[in-house]
């Protein structure tokens, strides 16, 4: 199963022509306390680039649930990662509690504002009070109206939202948002060092 093939079948749903790079996966999983997490969820794992990076950091007893809307990815995810709960469905139906970290590979700017809102509601509803959320955005799309809308939604829901530098080696170049609850009360910090959330 390949992201490229799925992109040509369902471009908007897949949202990327190539899987994320290991360097982006490293940036996506750094500074979140995954080494101490008990429960982690990943949204839109695709072929599992972030899944692999998360698993290298998790303790063996930690639980990882991945939610992928495209059923064609499920068999290979289950085969490669038998310790992971693979759920086929949309992330807006994420039905977990007490999640320490949510990692998202979702194509935010390719989905409707309503779906974006429902998924972010599901994420904040699933996280523990000290929960962390990480997601990425393509640099070229960050200043489009959907990209700006997504950034504003993050800042309205999370107390801390950080942006990493762009990973230029990713195709296309991308950066990572790391966000932390509690829900924002108007305080936003941007461009802080990644370690601030660890
Ligand atoms: C940009 S690809 C990223 C795949 C992988 N995480 C990576 O970085 O290479 C987006 C993935 O999100 C999945 N997806 C899109 N909308 C979704 C939704 N509402 N719920 C769950 N998965 C979704 C797509 O099927 C695809 O696998």
């Amino acid at each position: 199963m390949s992201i490229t093939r799925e992109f040509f079948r369902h471009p908007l749903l897949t949202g990327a022509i190539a899987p994320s790079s290991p360097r982006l996966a490293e940036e996506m999983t750094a500074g979140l306390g995954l080494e101490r997490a008990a429960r982690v969820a990943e949204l839109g794992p695709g072929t599992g680039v972030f899944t692999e990076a998360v698993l290298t950091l998790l303790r063996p007893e930690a639980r990882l649930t991945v939610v992928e809307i495209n059923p064609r990815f499920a068999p290979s995810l289950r085969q490669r990662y038998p310790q992971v709960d693979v759920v086929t469905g949309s992330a807006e139906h994420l039905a977990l509690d007490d999640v320490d970290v949510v990692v998202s590979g979702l194509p935010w700017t390719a989905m409707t504002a309503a779906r974006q809102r429902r998924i972010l509601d599901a994420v904040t509803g699933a996280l523990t009070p000290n929960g962390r959320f990480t997601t990425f955005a393509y640099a070229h799309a960050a200043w489009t109206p959907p990209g700006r809308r997504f950034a504003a939604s993050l800042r309205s829901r999370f107390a801390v939202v950080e942006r990493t530098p762009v990973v230029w080696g990713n195709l296309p170049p991308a950066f990572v948002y790391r966000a932390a609850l509690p829900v924002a009360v108007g305080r936003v910090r941007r461009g802080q060092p990644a370690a601030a959330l660890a």
Side-chain angles (χ1 to χ4, degrees), residues 3 13-16 18-20 42-47 49-50 67-70 73 89-92 105-107 111 115 119 136 138:
I3 283 278
L13 207 57
T14 308
S20 296
E42 182 189 353
L43 313 177
T47 53
V49 175
F50 299 158
V67 184
E68 171 54 60
I69 202 167
N70 184 341
F73 288 119
S90 177
E92 63 216 270
L106 296 176
M111 63 178 76
R115 179 171 259 187
I119 296 177
F136 72 94
Y138 293 125

